[in-house]
Amino acid sequence: QVQLVESGGGLVQPGGSLRLSCAASTNIFNVIYMAWYRQAPGKQRELVAVITSGGRTTYVESVKGRFTLSGDNSKNTAYLQMTSLTPEDTAVYYCNARGPDGVDSWGQGTQVTVSA
């Protein structure tokens, strides 16, 4: 099973930027995909972005043009670069990965708060 360690959350001003990291315990080119989810207060968890081992990315409409998901195979890490942040982006962000065995792993979550 893949272990995931998240970092990079914090408090940021509206319009600011933040980069989240998700370090995996295995070579990420062997992972079917890695993804970021978020859960805002009072809302259901939603898929934000996903990247396959081939580098293809998909984003939820609300973050297109603002968020970029990338992977660094040499560091076994996926990154979520977030720009033009708004209070609506405030949520706990979770890293998710589907291993080569088809089993999903989850990070513990990192809090992102966008507030003036």
Side-chain angles (χ1 to χ4, degrees):
Q1 189 174 14
V2 179
Q3 285 79 52
L4 304 173
V5 179
E6 298 155 308
S7 62
L11 176 65
V12 65
Q13 297 285 312
S17 300
L18 205 62
R19 188 177 75 164
L20 306 182
S21 299
C22 176
S25 62
T26 189
N27 293 327
I28 60 174
F29 55 76
N30 289 326
V31 174
I32 296 173
Y33 64 74
M34 298 187 72
W36 286 95
Y37 288 75
R38 67 185 180 187
Q39 188 165 19
K43 296 184 178 180
Q44 295 182 343
R45 186 175 298 185
E46 68 170 343
L47 177 64
V48 178
V50 59
I51 185 169
T52 69
S53 60
R56 292 183 172 86
T57 54
T58 304
Y59 302 90
V60 68
E61 191 69 27
S62 61
V63 308
K64 287 182 178 178
R66 300 189 299 118
F67 291 11
T68 302
L69 176 57
S70 62
D72 186 339
N73 289 338
S74 68
K75 297 182 178 180
N76 295 328
T77 300
Y79 303 95
L80 185 66
Q81 178 67 51
M82 306 183 293
T83 63
S84 301
L85 287 163
T86 76
E88 292 182 343
D89 297 314
T90 295
V92 178
Y93 285 71
Y94 298 90
C95 184
N96 164 258
R98 179 160 292 181
D101 58 357
V103 177
D104 280 3
S105 297
W106 292 87
Q108 293 299 306
T110 184
Q111 176 71 48
V112 173
T113 302
V114 184
S115 179

